Amino acid sequence: MESFEHYIPTKLYFGKGSISHLVESLNQYGKRVLLTYGGGSIKKIGLYDQVMDILNQGGFTVVECAGIEPNPRIETVARGAQLCKEHHIDVILSIGGGSTLDCSKAIAVGAYYEGDDYWQMVLESRGDKKALPMVDILTLAATGSEFDDGGVITNLALNKKIGRSFTFPQVSICDPSYTYSVSAYQTAAGSADIMSHIMEGYFSRTDDFDLSEAIEEGILKSVIKNLPIALKEPSNYTARANLMWNSSVACSGIPEYGKQSTGWPCHAMEHELSAYYDITHGVGLAILTPRWLEYILQKDPSITGRLARFARNVWHLEGQDEHQLALDGIHALQDFFTQQNIPMTLHEVGIDETNFAAMASSACANDRLKHAFVPLDQQDVINIFKMCL
Ligand code: NZQ
Ligand code: ZN
């Protein structure tokens, strides 16, 4: 068991109708609001109109930063930060999925950044810089951005996608009914992301922290149960609510408390795929994770017991042969993703071998993967990418 520190200052309102807390949440910080959102889904579901009515009645002045992209771009961070500076914004109201929230966190820091090289600001950000307060309304269960200080920003010109600590949201409004309209593709991708946030820590050398084990296995089983229901019945509140709370806890750090850190190898590899090919984060993770597990099991059979536990406790599989059981658990994971209609090869998402070497080199920068559950070098990463073709 490792020692740990716990600090999550975000006030979270969870459940149907939580938007009733919006005015009181914003009022603490001021009346000048930067409203950030993505490509328009919030208009289609009527949330934009509802929020604008609330803001107008509440006497807020609203400046909009619309069009935040999935895999949000550094140029959009710069645009948002400039708007904050020009309009003397008091508080950011961010409505959307992880991309909108992440971009808004970077904008919150950018609002106080004195230079104009916002990419440099992202590179330097460690969560310790002054930031505007941010309130968010979550519309997609996936990243956990509503309950952490992380943000992932993309610089397509440099083929870089970088995760950094920026700032915690002051308030997150999490109403699962806003996720009824999320497409089957994004629902499945988001759920694969939730599962990955757990699996990145679950496959660790520390296995003596009972609560971590229980949270991790509990979240995995909950996603396995609720994702197929949400896909079949998009407006099933219970399924959507379970996925949403799973999302918030999975990436909060709580499931990994007390465990040796692993470097999150699938995220390191996936961010390279997104940086070069702008693919959906959760889909990249679903493609990578079973291949990574298969690869490291072969490379280091000492992890067999851990994988056999995954098969038994998460997938309810049985058997005497530990190695076979370990493999069966990996196959169960892959089959599950396939059954949810997630593309399961790199070819299907338009990726070939062209950039494998460059992506592997970048994934291994800073020796990050040397401390993974099973340490990986560049050749290992290339081998795993090849298994995903
Ligand atoms: O842009 P709009 O029109 O809103 O449409 C979005 C987008 O096209 C749509 N969507 C969102 N809510 C919807 C909806 N469509 C219909 N109804 C709704 N209620 O879904 C599409 C994807 O949205 P996006 O925000 O990109 O998805 P997600 O939440 O999966 O975020 C992915 C980003 O988060 C980063 C990823 O790397 C990626 O850039 N991550 C952030 C993390 C964090 N902050 O801690 C950790 C993660 O590991 C991850 O790396
Ligand atoms: Zn993720």
Side-chain angles (χ1 to χ4, degrees):
M1 278 182 204
E2 310 281 321
S3 304
F4 63 89
E5 195 180 305
H6 168 86
Y7 180 67
I8 303 177
T10 303
K11 182 161 191 173
L12 206 138
Y13 292 106
F14 188 95
K16 220 175 259 182
S18 299
I19 199 166
S20 62
H21 297 283
L22 181 59
V23 170
E24 74 196 59
S25 301
L26 293 170
N27 264 339
Q28 309 170 65
Y29 306 108
K31 288 290 182 187
R32 303 184 65 80
V33 176
L34 182 78
L35 175 64
T36 59
Y37 56 97
S41 69
I42 67 160
K43 292 191 171 167
K44 285 193 201 131
I45 64 175
L47 184 53
Y48 174 87
D49 287 342
Q50 188 186 2
V51 167
M52 287 308 277
D53 282 349
I54 293 171
L55 295 178
N56 288 333
Q57 281 170 23
F60 293 93
T61 301
V62 181
V63 175
E64 294 194 26
C65 178
I68 295 176
E69 314 81 359
N71 299 328
R73 311 289 195 264
I74 187 60
E75 293 79 5
T76 313
V77 173
R79 173 161 61 91
Q82 295 291 0
L83 286 171
C84 291
K85 290 174 181 172
E86 278 164 33
H87 297 275
H88 308 289
I89 294 297
D90 298 317
V91 54
I92 298 176
L93 172 57
S94 175
I95 311 180
S99 294
T100 296
L101 270 56
D102 284 7
C103 189
S104 304
K105 291 175 184 176
I107 291 171
V109 174
Y112 288 106
Y113 184 65
E114 287 184 0
D116 56 7
D117 184 348
Y118 290 95
W119 185 242
Q120 189 57 32
M121 177 207 80
V122 168
L123 294 176
E124 288 168 5
S125 196
R126 299 280 181 275
D128 54 355
K129 298 275 191 312
K130 194 171 177 193
L132 279 174
M134 172 179 144
V135 172
D136 69 75
I137 302 175
L138 182 67
T139 66
L140 200 166
T143 63
S145 190
E146 67 279 11
F147 205 40
D148 70 20
D149 66 351
V152 185
I153 304 299
T154 295
N155 187 329
L156 278 183
L158 300 180
N159 289 128
K160 292 285 177 208
K161 184 175 180 185
I162 300 283
R164 286 288 185 269
S165 291
F166 293 106
T167 184
F168 285 92
Q170 260 64 29
V171 178
S172 287
I173 292 173
C174 302
D175 180 338
S177 65
Y178 296 145
T179 65
Y180 291 168
S181 55
V182 177
S183 67
Y185 186 79
Q186 289 293 342
T187 300
S191 296
D193 191 23
I194 298 169
M195 291 177 76
S196 175
H197 295 160
I198 292 297
M199 290 187 286
E200 296 277 36
Y202 182 74
F203 294 109
S204 144
R205 299 284 170 180
T206 318
D207 58 4
D208 59 352
F209 225 1
D210 296 344
L211 184 59
S212 296
E213 300 286 295
I215 294 173
E216 289 170 333
E217 290 171 358
I219 289 181
L220 289 174
K221 284 190 282 189
S222 174
V223 176
I224 292 162
K225 175 178 157 194
N226 287 292
L227 171 59
I229 300 173
L231 292 178
K232 209 165 144 211
E233 304 164 34
S235 303
N236 184 311
Y237 182 82
T238 307
R240 293 291 192 180
N242 272 290
L243 292 177
M244 190 174 253
W245 183 225
N246 287 334
S247 140
S248 303
V249 177
C251 202
S252 66
I254 293 171
E256 281 177 278
Y257 285 168
K259 303 186 76 168
Q260 191 182 321
S261 86
T262 63
W264 284 38
C266 288
H267 275 68
M269 293 187 278
E270 197 296 311
H271 285 170
E272 297 305 319
L273 301 179
S274 293
Y276 276 78
Y277 297 95
D278 198 20
I279 67 165
T280 299
H281 174 61
V283 170
L285 292 168
I287 295 171
L288 285 162
T289 306
R291 279 60 179 242
W292 163 68
L293 288 172
E294 218 172 301
Y295 185 83
I296 59 174
L297 177 62
Q298 200 174 7
K299 188 176 176 195
D300 182 355
S302 76
I303 66 169
T304 304
R306 188 70 188 156
L307 279 155
R309 178 183 166 128
F310 174 66
R312 282 197 184 92
N313 290 7
V314 175
W315 299 102
H316 307 294
L317 300 172
E318 288 173 12
Q320 298 303 319
D321 180 341
E322 289 279 287
H323 180 71
Q324 189 53 50
L325 198 53
L327 283 174
D328 290 347
I330 299 170
H331 296 151
L333 176 68
Q334 183 157 344
D335 290 348
F336 175 73
F337 287 146
T338 306
Q339 283 154 13
Q340 314 316 313
N341 290 323
I342 299 176
M344 286 303 287
T345 63
L346 291 181
H347 275 315
E348 285 169 80
V349 293
I351 300 178
D352 63 17
E353 292 192 45
T354 310
N355 295 302
F356 279 2
M359 292 192 296
S361 158
S362 182
C364 293
N366 307 325
D367 292 341
R368 181 177 168 189
L369 299 186
K370 274 197 176 149
H371 307 288
F373 178 43
V374 172
L376 300 176
D377 62 20
Q378 287 185 37
Q379 192 53 53
D380 292 321
V381 173
I382 292 173
N383 294 344
I384 293 167
F385 283 151
K386 283 187 180 164
M387 289 169 74
C388 297
L389 281 169

